[in-house]
Amino acid sequence: MNNCIFCKIIAGEIPSAKIYEDDLVYAFLDISPINKGHVLVIPKEHHESSSTIPEATAGRMFRVGSRIGIALRRKMDYDAFNLHLADGAAAGQVVMHAHLHVVPRGVEDGFRWNWRQLKYADGELAATAETLSKRLAEDLEKGE
Ligand code: 5GP
Ligand code: ZN
C-alpha cells in the first residue's frame, strides 16, 4: 500500500489536477485521457478491488462520478459519458487502487468501446443465472 501511486496522490506526495474531494473520495484528471476531461474517482482508503470498498464509499464514488459526468456535459460540451471500472489485471486494471473512470464522450469522438456479443447455447443462459445467483446469495449471507 505504501508504494501505491494513488495513495501518494491523495497524500499530496505526487501532484494531481484535483476536481473534487470529500471525506470519502478524491477525484482528479487522468494523466492520459481517452478524451480531455477524463476523470478518476478513487476511495481515500486503499482498496485494490471494488468488492471491499464499504457501501457508503462505493455509493459516493458512483454519485460523484455521475455528477462529474453531468458537469462534463454541461460545461465542456460533451454529449455523454461512460463510467468504467476495471477490477483485476485481466480486466485491464493497471493501478491496483480501485478507481472509477468518468470518460466524457462525444457523438463523433472517434473512440469505440469494443464490446463483443456472444450467444448462449440452449439452456446455458438459465444455468448460468442459477449458478451465479446461488453463489451471490451465499456470499452476501456470509457478508463477503
Ligand atoms: P486502469 O487501467 O488501472 O483502469 O487505469 C489507470 C489509469 O490511471 C490510466 O488511465 C492512467 O492514465 C492513469 N494514471 C496512471 N498513473 C497516473 C498518475 O500518476 N496520475 C494520473 N493523474 N493518472 C494516472
Ligand atoms: Zn492506494
Side-chain angles (χ1 to χ4, degrees):
M1 192 205 296
N2 289 338
N3 232 5
C4 171
I5 192 166
F6 285 178
C7 282
K8 287 183 177 161
I9 282 178
I10 293 163
E13 291 164 24
I14 293 176
S16 67
K18 182 169 90 174
I19 301 298
Y20 175 82
E21 178 178 16
D22 63 27
D23 54 330
L24 298 177
V25 304
Y26 187 90
F28 58 106
L29 288 182
D30 191 306
I31 206 162
S32 308
I34 289 176
N35 282 319
K36 290 175 184 168
H38 178 166
V39 170
L40 302 174
V41 184
I42 62 178
K44 282 193 164 172
E45 215 173 75
H46 180 90
H47 291 271
E48 179 168 328
S49 169
S50 58
S51 65
T52 61
I53 301 172
E55 200 165 332
T57 307
R60 187 74 59 81
M61 286 171 68
F62 194 85
R63 174 81 182 143
V64 167
S66 57
R67 293 312 308 184
I68 289 171
I70 296 298
L72 286 161
R73 248 174 45 193
R74 289 187 178 153
K75 296 292 181 201
M76 286 186 70
D77 216 20
Y78 283 107
D79 301 306
F81 59 92
N82 286 104
L83 294 180
H84 172 77
L85 189 148
D87 197 311
Q93 185 177 6
V94 173
V95 177
M96 292 301 166
H97 180 131
H99 49 279
L100 183 64
H101 292 260
V102 186
V103 183
R105 300 300 307 277
V107 173
E108 291 186 15
D109 64 7
F111 179 68
R112 289 277 163 272
W113 222 298
N114 290 315
W115 298 115
R116 64 178 180 185
Q117 296 189 301
L118 302 178
K119 294 218 180 305
Y120 283 106
D122 274 357
E124 197 183 4
L125 186 143
T128 303
E130 194 184 342
T131 306
L132 195 53
S133 60
K134 269 194 190 145
R135 183 59 209 248
L136 178 66
E138 285 164 15
D139 287 354
L140 289 176
E141 206 166 293
K142 281 187 266 166
E144 284 177 10

